[in-house]
Each structure stands twice: as structure tokens, then as C-alpha cells.
């Protein structure tokens, strides 16, 4: 819940810390937490971490296209343009 509050405050760095803890507590198996974590990483411009989380979610939930469309593609494109 704290991650959601920090995300609403646009404090994506703190939100990503909270979601990262939740992600680990869920043994990296929650698509919802993974989505939120990847989103916060994207907002913090941590593109490699965002891609890693997206790929972990898609490996377990290949029918979860929202993460691929909304985060993975943006992170990959941003990563390519910043180098």
C-alpha cells in the first residue's frame, strides 16, 4: 500500500523501493506487483531494471500483454535512444 501512496505522490523512487520489497516477498511471482515495479523503474529511468522485471513477468504470465505494450516496449526504446 505504501508503494501505491508514493506512486500517487509521484515519488517513483520510493515507490519502486516499496514495490521491490513486495516483489521479493511474492517470490517475483505477482504480475500486478511486477507491473507496478517495472512502471516505477521506467519513471525513474532505470530502463534495464524495468526490462528485467517485464521479462520475468512475461516468462510466468505470457498472456499478460499489458506489461509488454505499456512498459517493455517503452523501456527498450528509451534504452536505445539514451545510449
Amino acid at each position: 500500500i505504501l508503494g501505491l501512496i508514493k506512486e500517487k505522490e509521484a515519488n517513483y523512487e520510493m515507490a519502486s523501493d516499496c514495490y521491490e520489497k513486495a516483489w521479493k516477498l511474492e517470490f517475483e511471482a505477482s504480475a500486478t506487483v511486477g507491473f507496478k515495479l517495472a512502471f516505477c523503474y521506467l519513471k525513474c529511468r532505470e530502463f534495464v531494471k524495468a526490462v528485467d522485471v517485464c521479462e520475468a513477468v512475461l516468462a510466468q504470465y505470457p498472456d499478460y500483454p499489458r506489461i509488454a505494450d505499456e512498459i517493455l516496449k517503452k523501456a527498450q526504446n528509451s534504452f536505445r535512444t539514451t545510449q
Side-chain angles (χ1 to χ4, degrees):
I1 296 175
L2 186 57
L4 189 60
I5 292 169
K6 294 299 178 185
E7 187 179 346
K8 295 291 183 190
E9 294 174 350
N11 187 344
Y12 297 109
E13 188 173 322
M14 287 291 294
S16 67
D17 289 342
C18 295
Y19 287 132
E20 188 174 340
K21 290 174 185 171
W23 178 243
K24 289 179 181 174
L25 287 172
E26 292 280 339
F27 301 104
E28 300 182 359
S30 171
T32 305
V33 174
F35 180 88
K36 294 285 196 177
L37 177 58
F39 175 78
C40 288
Y41 281 154
L42 183 67
K43 289 293 190 177
C44 290
R45 303 185 57 79
E46 295 185 38
F47 305 122
V48 174
K49 287 182 179 181
V51 169
D52 289 344
V53 172
C54 288
E55 288 177 349
V57 170
L58 289 171
Q60 296 175 57
Y61 304 96
D63 295 331
Y64 193 60
R66 184 174 172 212
I67 198 166
D69 295 338
E70 294 182 24
I71 299 173
L72 183 60
K73 290 178 185 175
K74 290 178 183 176
Q76 289 172 333
N77 288 337
S78 296
F79 182 70
R80 288 185 189 123
T81 58
T82 58
Q83 287 189 338

